Amino acid sequence: MIAPPLVTAGLTQELAAAVDELRRLTVQVRTRGAATGAGVLWDGGGSEGRGLVITNAHVVRGDRATIELNDGTTAPAHIVARDLKRDLAALEFQADRALISAVVRGSPPLRVGELVIAVGHPGGLAGAATLGIIHLAESEREGRTPRWIQADVRLAPGFSGGPLADATARLVGVNTMMHGSLALAVPAAAVEAWVRRAHALVAP
Amino acid sequence: MSTVLQSLSTELADAVQAAGRAVVAIHARRRIPASGVHWRPGVVVATSHTISRDENITVTLPDGITVPASLAGRDPSTDLAVLKLAGQSVPTARLRSDTPPTVGELVIALGRPGPSVTASWGVMSRVDGPWRTWQGAEIDSLLRLDLAIYDGFSGGPLIDAAGRVLGINTSGLASGVPVTIPVATVERVVTELLERGTIRRAYLGIGTQPVRVPESLAGKLELQGDVALLIVSLESGGPADRDGLLLGDVLLELDGTAVSDSADVLAKLGGDRVGRPLAARVIRGGQVKTLQVTPGERPKSRAA
């Protein structure tokens, strides 16, 4: 019997572990019964019994949606904030237990060539993952975050609203669209800032 | 938590960062800039098809400074162009010329279609021996890639996981399919372009079409193969015409090698053959005849 190559074996295990972790914070979003995309469990600021999901505005057309967690439980959700320009939406739902939420990578800045993992539900295939690298890292001038994270990673419809994460499963962006074979994601820092502003407006 | 995955991620980013220091943006067309590689001190290699003007070319260096560049020469048949920069202190690319890439090897394509470096990754999908482009140039080895092509792909380097350059990428040689021109070919073309400004290629001034030689004739003339090349066009006053080849001659051998398609003829017409006679064995009027033909230097934009 041939022993498996050590580096490859370690790589495979660690990749599987990172994908598992990302799957736990990725939800499916359904609108009027149809699977429309993915969403990321977000820290709702400690409000008991309520879960917060961030997704793309284009994933949720109406005011209501159904979300399905990784363990298969479903919950009705309603829109609490929507921004068509940034293509972001925030959904709230009743949670009967404490939920994990995405950990945003604040620093160090992204580097071109770094590995990234995307999780989503293409064509109804729940929890699919793809691996790629950062394609372009725009220099952050005067503290402004770039409009898009550009990644060389194969996405398909169904990944929209799902997480783009680094090799340690920290969130770097929310997958939003394809431009040719390039994946464009809203930077996690921009999502965080938007949630803070938008959610404050509707929080009770 | 992860160690191997994180190390791989860091090493890929390190490779991009190190190799990216020798990748420049070239402004020589209307669209977005193309990429180039600082190959030797003051010498930038780019792809010919992304340079649409000979004058007013500028190059943006990795530090963001844009400087003028002059076109030292170009070779559309290998899709390579060489630019010269004056007095720059940009590092040159680290070349990997000792070990060829292997199928399945992890590779990264870099570009700079603007101020920032871009990357896509994939694997070598095919590594093979020498091949000839449609314009007749010989490329030392066939390097095919399984990766996505983005803006700035052509003229950028293909690098290995250690950041060493394996060649120059282009989508302009194999009808949009990404290929890499290996270091050996780039070195050869750069040296010749710097010396002469163009790549010399020999030509005969003939157009040919493969034909099957009838068995009876092949037997009678004791021929090796049964496919030869019928001369269907002859450039008036060209090398073949001048040396007595006729329309309707069937070319069997050139320089002692049987020819059965036009690539076989091109293979005999390297730049070093200009002015050196070749033996041409032909069937003319049912008889085999050998003539001496002396290839001339191929004028620009002429096939064989």
Side-chain angles (χ1 to χ4, degrees):
Chain A
M1 210 179 117
I2 302 166
L6 280 177
V7 173
T8 312
L11 194 63
T12 308
Q13 267 174 23
E14 289 174 13
L15 190 56
V19 168
D20 268 349
E21 195 175 332
L22 289 172
R23 276 180 177 155
R24 283 196 290 276
L25 50 88
T26 308
V27 304
Q28 290 183 67
V29 178
R30 291 198 211 107
T31 318
R32 297 182 199 110
T36 44
V40 183
L41 285 174
W42 207 269
D43 180 6
S47 25
E48 272 300 303
R50 291 202 304 182
L52 184 64
V53 164
I54 301 302
T55 184
N56 286 137
H58 79 260
V59 167
V60 199
R61 296 267 182 232
D63 289 336
R64 296 187 173 278
T66 304
I67 60 141
E68 182 175 331
L69 300 174
N70 179 243
D71 62 7
T73 56
T74 58
H78 64 278
I79 289 252
V80 290
R82 176 165 23 213
D83 187 328
L84 294 175
K85 204 170 130 249
R86 288 186 180 82
D87 201 356
L88 290 174
L91 294 166
E92 260 189 16
F93 64 99
Q94 291 292 326
D96 51 10
R97 60 193 159 85
L99 295 164
I100 57 157
S101 57
V103 178
V104 170
R105 166 160 151 178
S107 62
L110 285 173
R111 299 171 71 200
V112 179
E114 245 189 79
L115 289 178
V116 283
I117 308 163
V119 172
H121 321 294
L125 183 69
T130 62
L131 182 66
I133 62 171
I134 292 291
H135 174 69
L136 169 71
E138 284 173 282
S139 51
E140 290 180 35
R141 283 183 219 95
E142 295 131 27
R144 276 176 52 213
T145 50
R147 182 157 163 72
W148 298 111
I149 302 286
Q150 299 190 23
D152 173 32
V153 57
R154 272 351 132 248
L155 297 188
F159 274 97
S160 279
L164 184 73
D166 68 8
T168 59
R170 285 175 303 171
L171 193 78
V172 301
V174 169
N175 296 316
T176 299
M177 62 165 140
M178 294 296 292
H179 179 73
S181 46
L182 207 60
L184 301 184
V186 181
V191 178
E192 202 170 35
W194 177 77
V195 173
R196 217 179 294 125
R197 267 196 324 275
H199 202 239
L201 298 176
V202 293
Chain B
M1 181 193 59
S2 2
T3 52
V4 188
L5 192 61
Q6 222 178 322
S7 305
L8 175 63
S9 183
T10 305
E11 284 178 18
L12 290 174
D14 288 348
V16 169
Q17 191 179 352
R21 293 194 187 107
V23 181
V24 301
I26 294 170
H27 310 269
R29 60 175 175 184
R30 283 187 158 200
R31 250 164 35 87
I32 50 149
S35 306
V37 178
H38 190 221
W39 198 266
R40 297 179 189 171
V43 174
V44 167
V45 176
T47 41
S48 179
H49 83 270
T50 52
I51 294 184
S52 56
R53 55 177 187 257
D54 295 348
E55 305 280 322
N56 298 323
I57 298 172
T58 56
V59 166
T60 301
L61 304 174
D63 59 8
I65 296 168
T66 300
V67 297
S70 62
L71 185 64
R74 62 160 92 203
D75 175 28
S77 66
T78 51
D79 196 24
L80 290 172
V82 172
L83 301 168
K84 281 173 124 176
L85 307 175
Q88 294 310 323
S89 53
V90 179
T92 52
R94 253 179 79 213
L95 308 177
R96 175 172 135 189
S97 38
D98 48 351
T99 36
T102 51
V103 174
E105 184 173 344
L106 185 60
V107 288
I108 307 168
L110 297 186
R112 197 181 286 277
S116 312
V117 76
T118 59
S120 66
W121 75 332
V123 293
M124 292 303 307
S125 66
R126 194 175 160 195
V127 177
D128 235 319
W131 63 289
R132 223 159 252 288
T133 66
W134 63 277
Q135 283 174 304
E138 183 169 286
I139 310 283
D140 295 57
S141 63
L142 178 61
L143 306 178
R144 282 263 196 112
L145 313 173
D146 175 26
L147 48 70
I149 304 178
Y150 300 109
D151 288 337
F153 174 83
S154 287
L158 186 77
I159 63 168
D160 65 9
R164 292 173 304 174
V165 172
L166 296 164
I168 298 287
N169 297 321
T170 177
S171 56
L173 274 186
S175 47
V177 175
V179 296
T180 301
I181 307 163
V183 169
T185 310
V186 178
E187 287 283 4
R188 194 157 42 79
V189 172
V190 167
T191 301
E192 199 169 344
L193 285 179
L194 286 175
E195 275 172 17
R196 309 170 46 90
T198 55
I199 298 294
R200 251 154 68 111
R201 292 204 200 285
Y203 95 115
L204 293 171
I206 55 171
T208 62
Q209 186 183 311
V211 287
R212 197 165 291 279
V213 181
E215 238 173 72
S216 54
L217 188 61
K220 193 180 116 197
L221 301 175
E222 292 169 13
L223 302 181
Q224 305 276 327
D226 61 348
V227 177
L229 292 174
L230 173 66
I231 297 178
V232 293
S233 70
L234 197 59
E235 186 192 312
S236 173
D241 181 32
R242 198 186 51 219
D243 291 335
L245 275 176
L246 298 176
L247 211 58
D249 282 350
V250 176
L251 188 60
L252 298 168
E253 286 176 9
L254 206 53
D255 194 29
T257 310
V259 291
S260 58
D261 77 52
S262 57
D264 297 339
V265 177
L266 285 173
K268 290 288 174 191
L269 298 174
D272 56 337
R273 295 309 307 219
V274 177
R276 288 172 51 203
L278 291 166
R281 208 161 161 249
V282 299
I283 307 175
R284 181 182 293 171
Q287 303 296 320
V288 174
K289 212 172 142 62
T290 301
L291 292 95
Q292 295 293 318
V293 290
T294 306
E297 181 166 348
R298 186 185 58 184
K300 277 185 181 162
S301 73
R302 186 90 27 97

